[in-house]
Amino acid sequence: MSTGPRIKGSTRDYSYHLLKDRIMRLDLEPGTKISEKEIAEELQVSRTPVREAFMKLAEEELLDIIPQSGTLVSRINLSHVEEGRFIREKIEKEIVALACERFPEEHRFRLETNLALQDVSADNRNRYKLFELDEEFHQILFAGTGKERTWKMLQQLNIHFNRLRLLRLSMDSNWETIIAQHKEIYRLIVSGETEQAVKTMEGHLRLVVVEQDLLRQKYPQYFI
């Protein structure tokens, strides 16, 4: 398995980011057993930074470190998914309402560019790029309303929610729906239609709930 481009920073940070990326992209599937020794040998680093990376990933609930048993990639916890989705829905409905009142031209342009790239990524069937652009779309909303620190705060709560979203995209089930909703949210912001924008955002963030049962049926081994 390719390790990809080396990330600037410490060996621990490199190991952490690489492993997190593999887990989020499902290169390391939920329930997979991994070892410090094997990862250290693959990355050609000492075991200490890998151990530190493991500990950080365990704190983020992406790894389960079980004494005398080993380390497993954590399964997707649906209670954590719902908690992350719930808090994001409550906050992001307020964010889109603020955006309808005032949204800088610079950030409108960034959303337009983002939406164009979403279409290209969908045409190319690049689900990982589409996920990145999906995240960027929402991040721009927070940035344009002066709530960037709030966005950063949400990231920890959204880890399991984001894992489910990436799994959903891998099914090619609703790319067009996701992009269409993004475009509608942008249109409503530009036209200042606050009430409809809030309703559309709510439906957008609940889309993953609708498909949750389907994902559990197809990948039962991925969930707890």
Side-chain angles (χ1 to χ4, degrees), residues 24-194:
M24 296 300 293
R25 289 176 176 241
L26 301 171
D27 294 334
L28 287 172
E29 297 182 356
T32 301
K33 190 170 185 176
I34 61 176
S35 76
E36 293 175 8
K37 181 176 181 293
E38 291 175 357
I39 296 296
E41 289 175 351
E42 178 190 349
L43 303 185
Q44 299 181 338
V45 299
S46 69
R47 291 181 64 172
T48 298
V50 173
R51 183 178 303 114
E52 292 172 346
F54 273 32
M55 294 300 295
K56 187 173 181 180
L57 290 166
E59 290 175 2
E60 295 181 356
E61 299 176 327
L62 288 172
L63 290 180
D64 294 327
I65 301 176
I66 306 170
Q68 283 78 52
S69 180
T71 299
L72 302 174
V73 176
S74 69
R75 288 178 169 81
I76 299 172
N77 187 312
L78 291 174
S79 295
H80 294 348
V81 170
E82 173 54 24
E83 184 179 5
R85 187 210 61 78
F86 172 81
I87 192 65
R88 183 161 169 179
E89 177 189 314
K90 298 303 180 185
I91 293 176
E92 202 150 353
K93 285 164 64 176
E94 296 299 323
I95 291 293
V96 78
L98 288 174
C100 286
E101 294 176 8
R102 182 182 178 277
F103 202 69
E105 189 65 33
E106 171 196 351
H107 290 85
R108 289 190 186 187
F109 176 75
R110 288 176 61 190
L111 285 181
E112 290 172 0
T113 303
N114 176 279
L115 289 169
L117 291 173
Q118 286 186 40
D119 284 331
V120 172
S121 296
D123 289 342
N124 292 333
R125 317 305 292 172
N126 189 339
R127 65 179 182 270
Y128 298 126
K129 185 61 179 177
L130 184 57
F131 175 78
E132 291 174 1
L133 290 166
D134 187 343
E135 282 288 275
E136 183 183 69
F137 177 87
H138 292 272
Q139 184 177 11
I140 293 168
L141 295 180
F142 280 76
T145 53
K147 300 293 185 291
E148 291 178 280
R149 293 175 69 245
T150 304
W151 171 261
K152 291 178 181 177
M153 178 198 72
L154 286 174
Q155 296 315 294
Q156 179 63 34
L157 284 174
N158 280 323
I159 286 176
H160 284 262
F161 181 49
N162 288 342
R163 293 176 77 188
L164 190 69
R165 289 170 59 213
L166 268 167
L167 180 59
R168 179 184 68 184
L169 286 173
S170 72
M171 295 179 61
D172 299 340
S173 57
N174 59 3
W175 294 20
E176 293 80 8
T177 300
I178 293 169
I179 295 172
Q181 289 179 339
H182 285 160
K183 290 179 178 178
E184 178 65 3
I185 289 167
Y186 172 72
R187 185 191 71 78
L188 293 167
I189 288 172
V190 171
S191 60
E193 298 179 53
T194 303

